[in-house]
Amino acid sequence: MTRRARALDPGMSRSSIPDNQSSNQLLIGVVAVAAVALAASLAGLRNEFAQDDVYLIQNNLRIHSLGNWREMLTSPFWPPPLNQELYRPFTSLLLALEFALGGGDPLLFRVASYLFYAATAVGVFILAGRLLPRNIALAMGLLFAAHPVHVEAVALGVGQSELLVGLLGLIMTIRYVDRRRQGTLEFRDWALLGALYVSASLLKEPGLMLPGLLLATELFLLPGPAGPRVRSLVGGYAYLAGLGVLVILLRLAVLEGRFAGNFTAEALQGLTMGGRALTMLKVVPQWARLLFWPAHLQADYSPQELIASTRFGLVEALGLVLLLGTLTAGWLARRRAPVFSFGVAWMAIALLPVSNWLIPTGILLAERTLFLPSVGMVLGLGGLVAAGLRSKAGSPSPGRAELRLVTAGLVLAGVVRSGERQRIWRNEVFFSVRSVQDAPRSFRTQRAYGEVLFELGQRELALEAYQRAMVLAPAGQAWRVRNDLARRFRLLEETAPEVEQLRRSLEEQPAQEDTRGYLIAGYLSLGRYADAAREADTALALGATPKVFQGLRALADSAARVGAPPGSVRIRISTGPTERAAWSPSPR
């Protein structure tokens, strides 16, 4: 074994293992890891569409036919009128293919997600096997497969983008490690890496970060003179960088110049870069908790679950200590525990797109965004365990029984917790009820809970939930909740309370053309023609569509002139494919 190979495979000599025995052990490990991943997921096999799957699969006509493939390649990810600031064409094509093969049945989406998850867990085991002793690699693969924080990415069909970015990142890294062991990479290697990189980048935005994982491999796992390596690899990395630029240019073209979008998480709105960094220090302990002890999980972390930091307090100090301590330990351990350092680097690279430091996003914290970072977590943990056992006894073999016992206990607990969590997404009603229990201070979960209660005929309880949502909504956002409540009143044909909510919504956010149109329609239905005329004039003064509001103004004048009785003038306002424009899910 060469010096470079040992750096990639510390504490292990495969030459002492017969080929057939090594192959058998590898096969057993692959089967065991895949089985645990499936065991952690199968409880959700019969789940219906819920949460974002409702908007992006069930109600998204674009993906209901593969004949729309050109539109999928040239359109934003979310269907209008929802968020138009994301571009994930390969995810749309994948969902369309599964819709066609399964006839729109949620079952096929579940099966595909579970298979992608099992393949990713196996990829973690295989990569760990390149870097760590086989028993530790197997333990890390099993822990990854059972990790409950992965459930949000696995339970939803749209979460397949997270799974596939992780899988493609692992395939790229494994290929890179194998080829670099043999020397340098050839043209066909870079071509393969480039194809995988572009595919990941068109599945979801974190895919753009995958070349960083290859650079981390060079930095921490391949010691040697820098000069020759730079000369042999600079062309390949320039090629990957060029592909990344092309993907970004394509994204800018489709999204009409928007790179990151205008929607920002409520807790980050109005903050400077320093303010965002301070707020994200509060999130760092949450990242650590979810990665290492995910006893409590929730689908929403919106205000008031997590709010902006206005000063440097104890939680922010803990976040800073965790962040700087982990990064410092990773750097200092790069020679004695290179795999640990590599795992830390992997986590840092994977978390950078959702750190909100350089570019604010629509997400402050979401469990699905920890899927790719968790790969680095288990690799780093494995490297730490291997280094600890070597320093203790000069060989990784002592402590093997203890390692098996601890791994078995954690894997069992993880499978049980993951299975229970999978059932949260059994349908939209159950998801809403459970989410409000998990995150009672979230205005979004309270609003969704109110919607469910209306569907169940519990009007008073629904109004209480909506009222809580308005109280919990961050400053300047309650109007969105009022619009949604007004829509519910409209469906119930309760015009007077609808008008009240629309009026108060416009007091908070006057520049809402659709909302003002609904308000005018409500006034006309109630026979309040002077109020309808006044609102039409206000809309025109604010620059609303002249043809529409001049027509409404003329209708109000005509009804007043002839003395039309209340209820005799009823019009329908159409704002697009759905009336839920006032309430959009968070960008995912």
Side-chain angles (χ1 to χ4, degrees):
M1 185 180 294
T2 66
R3 179 186 175 195
R4 180 165 291 171
R6 287 193 185 97
L8 285 166
D9 196 15
M12 185 177 181
S13 177
R14 287 201 178 122
S15 61
S16 63
I17 304 176
D19 289 342
N20 60 341
Q21 183 180 350
S22 179
S23 299
N24 290 338
Q25 289 179 348
L26 177 62
L27 178 60
I28 291 171
V30 167
V31 171
V33 170
V36 169
L38 294 175
S41 306
L42 287 175
L45 188 63
R46 297 305 307 178
N47 285 357
E48 301 172 10
F49 289 123
Q51 204 184 10
D52 287 354
D53 279 359
V54 173
Y55 299 93
L56 287 165
I57 299 177
Q58 182 175 325
N59 297 338
N60 186 4
L61 298 180
R62 183 187 299 158
I63 68 122
H64 290 184
S65 172
L66 286 171
N68 297 328
W69 63 270
R70 290 183 181 86
E71 185 180 358
M72 297 178 213
L73 291 175
T74 58
S75 301
F77 181 53
W78 285 85
L82 302 174
N83 172 46
Q84 299 290 288
E85 300 174 349
L86 299 175
Y87 180 60
R88 300 167 186 170
F90 281 15
T91 301
S92 296
L93 289 171
L94 175 64
L95 296 177
L97 177 62
E98 292 174 22
F99 193 96
L101 292 175
D105 193 317
L107 179 62
L108 184 62
F109 293 92
R110 304 290 161 256
V111 171
S113 293
Y114 301 164
L115 292 178
F116 290 146
Y117 182 44
T120 306
V122 168
V124 171
F125 165 59
I126 292 175
L127 177 58
R130 299 292 199 274
L131 312 177
L132 298 165
R134 181 63 54 80
N135 61 323
I136 298 178
L138 177 58
M140 296 305 108
L142 293 172
L143 288 174
F144 181 88
H147 206 307
V149 82
H150 298 156
V151 173
E152 182 173 284
V154 179
L156 292 169
V158 296
Q160 290 175 17
S161 57
E162 301 281 359
L163 307 179
L164 287 172
V165 168
L167 178 59
L168 294 178
L170 284 162
I171 294 173
M172 289 175 65
T173 307
I174 292 168
R175 177 74 174 187
Y176 192 89
V177 166
D178 288 346
R179 295 299 295 155
R180 290 291 286 121
R181 277 181 167 176
Q182 301 170 19
T184 188
L185 281 76
E186 300 177 356
F187 174 80
R188 66 175 182 272
D189 301 311
W190 288 112
L192 175 61
L193 293 174
L196 296 173
Y197 175 43
V198 170
S199 298
S201 300
L202 294 177
L203 282 163
K204 196 167 186 182
E205 294 77 11
L208 288 167
M209 303 299 298
L210 295 187
L213 306 180
L214 308 184
L215 285 171
T217 301
E218 283 292 330
L219 180 61
F220 294 106
L221 301 178
L222 292 166
R229 283 195 288 164
V230 170
R231 286 191 293 271
S232 65
L233 297 173
V234 65
Y237 278 102
Y239 164 66
L240 294 181
L243 291 177
V245 170
L246 289 177
V247 169
I248 292 173
L249 291 176
L250 176 61
R251 178 187 179 89
L252 291 173
V254 172
L255 300 181
E256 300 178 349
R258 297 186 300 270
F259 176 72
N262 298 319
F263 184 88
T264 302
E266 293 86 0
L268 300 174
Q269 291 177 2
L271 298 183
T272 63
M273 181 182 291
R276 295 196 302 271
L278 184 63
T279 297
M280 291 307 295
L281 287 178
K282 181 185 293 184
V283 178
V284 172
Q286 294 290 337
W287 284 343
R289 177 186 67 81
L290 290 168
L291 288 171
F292 289 97
W293 194 253
H296 177 75
L297 299 168
Q298 58 193 72
D300 192 88
Y301 288 85
S302 72
Q304 303 295 329
E305 292 291 322
L306 285 173
I307 61 176
S309 295
T310 57
R311 62 183 181 85
F312 188 81
L314 290 177
V315 178
E316 290 78 8
L318 175 60
L320 184 62
V321 169
L322 287 172
L323 182 63
L324 294 182
T326 302
L327 293 175
T328 302
W331 181 251
L332 294 177
R334 65 190 185 279
R335 291 187 175 86
R336 299 190 62 182
V339 181
F340 167 71
S341 300
F342 175 65
V344 171
W346 183 301
M347 284 193 291
I349 292 166
L351 285 169
L352 185 60
V354 292
S355 67
N356 292 299
W357 176 47
L358 295 174
I359 300 175
T361 70
I363 296 171
L364 187 64
L365 173 62
E367 291 166 9
R368 62 189 176 277
T369 63
L370 296 180
F371 185 79
L372 185 61
S374 69
V375 176
M377 185 273 288
V378 296
L379 291 175
L381 180 62
L384 200 61
V385 170
L389 292 177
R390 284 199 307 275
S391 64
K392 178 180 178 181
S395 168
S397 55
R400 184 173 297 175
E402 292 87 341
L403 177 64
R404 288 176 177 173
L405 182 62
V406 171
T407 300
L410 291 175
V411 168
L412 178 60
V415 167
V416 172
R417 182 72 176 102
S418 294
E420 186 273 336
R421 189 68 185 165
Q422 279 282 346
R423 297 296 290 145
I424 301 303
W425 280 267
R426 66 183 66 176
N427 55 51
E428 186 75 351
V429 172
F430 191 87
F431 172 77
S432 297
V433 173
R434 181 58 185 267
S435 292
V436 82
Q437 295 172 350
D438 292 336
R441 292 175 296 179
S442 164
F443 80 99
R444 277 193 287 263
T445 63
Q446 291 289 352
R447 184 220 61 87
Y449 184 49
E451 185 78 2
V452 167
L453 289 171
F454 267 125
E455 292 290 341
L456 296 175
Q458 301 294 322
R459 186 181 187 280
E460 296 306 315
L461 293 176
L463 292 177
E464 291 177 7
Y466 267 104
Q467 185 59 42
R468 289 193 295 271
M470 293 176 197
V471 171
L472 292 169
Q477 296 295 316
W479 63 273
R480 297 180 182 273
V481 185
R482 294 191 184 281
N483 284 352
D484 214 45
L485 180 56
R487 179 192 58 82
R488 172 53 62 177
F489 283 134
R490 185 158 56 251
L491 293 174
L492 296 174
E493 298 185 351
E494 298 182 18
T495 307
E498 175 198 354
V499 163
E500 176 63 15
Q501 293 303 322
L502 294 172
R503 184 186 63 78
R504 297 184 65 180
S505 172
L506 287 166
E507 287 177 355
E508 299 174 22
Q509 186 71 21
Q512 298 182 73
E513 185 170 330
D514 293 341
T515 300
R516 202 171 295 276
Y518 281 123
L519 179 59
I520 293 171
Y523 279 148
L524 290 172
S525 179
L526 293 174
R528 297 171 59 176
Y529 305 125
D531 291 332
R534 185 184 66 253
E535 291 297 335
D537 289 340
T538 301
L540 292 169
L542 292 173
T545 307
K547 183 178 179 180
V548 172
F549 288 93
Q550 286 172 0
L552 291 173
R553 179 67 159 86
L555 182 59
D557 290 342
S558 176
R561 187 168 52 252
V562 301
S568 62
V569 180
R570 300 183 68 86
I571 64 173
R572 179 177 180 83
I573 302 293
S574 177
T575 61
T578 175
E579 290 188 0
R580 296 187 65 111
W583 180 265
S584 300
S586 296
R588 301 176 72 84

